[in-house]
Amino acid sequence: MQSLQLQNESLVEIATFLIRRWSERENTTVEFSDRVNTKTRLHENRVILTPIEKRIGNEFQRYRQFRTSLWYESMRVKFCKKILSNDHAFGFILNTMETVRVEQLGRKLWKGMDEEIIFNYAYMLVGRPQLHTVYGKARIVEAFYQYFMFGTIKGEVQSSHFERVKKASDFAKKIVDESIRKKYDTEWLEKKVVEIIKILDIDSLLTIPVSLPFMKVGMALSEEELLKFLSIISKNKEGDFGKIDPKSALSGENIYDEYKVILDEKKKNEKKGLGPKSIGVKIPTVANIDETIIYDVNLINNLKIKFKELKSGWKEQHNISGDEFDEENYIEEHEPFFTDIKKLIKSKIVILLDHSSSIASDALEYKKATLALCEVLAYLKVKFAVYAFNTHNRDIVCWLIKPDNMKWNNISAKRLAQVVANGSTPLAEVYGKIFPTLQSKRPDIFLTLTDGEPSDPDAVRNMTKSFKRLGINMVALGLGPNTIRATTIANNLKHLGYEKTMAVSRLKDIPSKVISILDV
């Protein structure tokens, strides 16, 4: 089970569902970033999480930490009025007290979280630095954090400093308890931070260094070591949580079934789309490949703006008669009436991407354009499937990038990123491999993107006829380095039986060309 890795992108949907359920804020969004620590931006309704692979422990333990940190951020969204920066002592201390306040408030609503919180505390303690590695007065603040949160400190501080830390921690617990008892919020707690600053004898603008774990990312503790930390936390938190069995907290039995379902679902998604009739079609292995290199965010966003009317499903159409009168148009002597016209894309489309060696020099831009096309089709809720072909280990292979019954997601993007441009253009053979699938699915349009002439034109012509007999509209997009070459390729494709051919010399025009052929 541990060999199956959960990718951050696969967790976004789960995280979004959980955070909206826990926080009761339906517009909250979630994203992952390896550039910042977990944080919530209240004014943006946005939660940024540390990627799961950056956490300590085995796969299941990291999932549990991810889930609990998500719960904490949900409680911040629900109960916090403001969240300050952790870069300086004042904000760091306020946020620390708010963590305990929202935890106690959240536990009243979500009573099944106790064992997961204790488990998470153990890893939080593991991840804190030894005090001798923190310099200057920041050591006092770190000691305060550890003693307040865990009831213990890692390492030693001067006895006079420890007395201040203990006094400040006791005071902080007292005012957090009071805030909960009297239902005070963040702003009341913020006014008390000054007193803690005075007790610790520090400057409120003291810079707090980013604390890095002393263990390497992904390294797992032995069961014996983890039980030791869990025993410390369970004992020190008994006043708040009651008795929690460290072994029960270690097992995570309540969460394991949920985790197993997620892994099973991920495995299904990776294999989805290959049935008995898909013989000859292969799925690229989902490896740890960085699919972000083929994302052109500007192109995707511009396309979404361009086709937003198709997304909304409505468009105003002006005419000499209509449902409503437009005074401005009348004054400007344009058609004075307008009617809202419903616009929906009804076409089901299958896209085949040529990845022969002739595309190799432009492979990156080609993939960016085709990925942008997929993003926009998903945005417009078009039902589509994507295949690609190349030569792999001397065999002609048709690769399944996205079946029509699976949402476009990062797994599909990873599949596309892995297909290497190699080999000739054996269209007839590729069509033969994909024919059984299309025979059962019967899409409205079968679109082929290619930059070359097929190896066997007569065989392609025969296969084109076979698809057309199924009622499938055959379309081809001829790709060329310039207008003349692209037009030549498109004209040559006309003789192969395609009902429509188009020429594209700029790869970024691919999405717009494809959407233009869809039945609205």
Side-chain angles (χ1 to χ4, degrees), residues 309-449:
E309 285 182 346
L310 290 177
K311 170 68 173 175
S312 65
W314 293 96
K315 181 180 180 180
E316 285 186 3
Q317 181 171 299
H318 286 79
N319 214 322
I320 56 173
S321 63
D323 296 335
E324 295 184 51
F325 182 72
D326 189 327
E327 293 179 2
E328 290 184 8
N329 266 25
Y330 177 75
I331 294 169
E332 294 172 4
E333 299 184 351
H334 298 307
E335 285 81 359
F337 292 93
F338 67 88
T339 303
D340 287 332
I341 304 297
K342 185 70 173 174
K343 296 171 73 70
L344 292 173
I345 296 176
K346 297 180 288 185
S347 304
K348 292 186 293 183
I349 185 171
V350 170
I351 301 166
L352 178 64
L353 307 173
D354 180 351
H355 275 73
S356 56
S357 56
S358 54
I359 202 74
S361 60
D362 296 312
L364 181 59
E365 294 305 313
Y366 179 50
K367 287 180 179 180
K368 285 182 178 180
T370 51
L371 183 138
L373 168 61
C374 295
E375 286 283 333
V376 175
L377 290 175
Y379 170 73
L380 297 176
K381 297 183 179 178
V382 176
K383 193 168 186 179
F384 71 103
V386 183
Y387 296 82
F389 70 86
N390 69 353
T391 300
H392 182 68
N393 294 333
R394 297 184 180 180
D395 292 327
I396 297 162
V397 182
C398 182
W399 301 101
L400 175 61
I401 305 300
K402 177 202 171 294
D404 62 355
N405 58 348
M406 188 174 87
K407 287 184 178 180
W408 174 260
N409 55 24
N410 78 296
I411 294 173
S412 300
K414 284 180 183 294
R415 291 176 182 176
L416 177 59
Q418 288 172 77
V419 179
V420 178
N422 185 46
S424 58
T425 311
L427 265 185
E429 190 168 339
V430 175
Y431 281 171
K433 292 176 183 292
I434 205 174
F435 183 81
T437 302
L438 270 60
Q439 189 176 29
S440 63
K441 299 289 185 181
R442 302 289 177 100
D444 301 304
I445 299 170
F446 181 19
L447 171 70
T448 302
L449 274 67

Side-chain angles (χ1 to χ4, degrees), residues 284-303:
T285 304
V286 179
N288 274 335
I289 189 168
D290 181 13
E291 76 280 10
T292 60
I293 61 172
I294 63 172
Y295 273 88
D296 186 333
V297 177
N298 289 333
L299 176 59
I300 293 168
N301 289 338
N302 289 337
L303 287 166

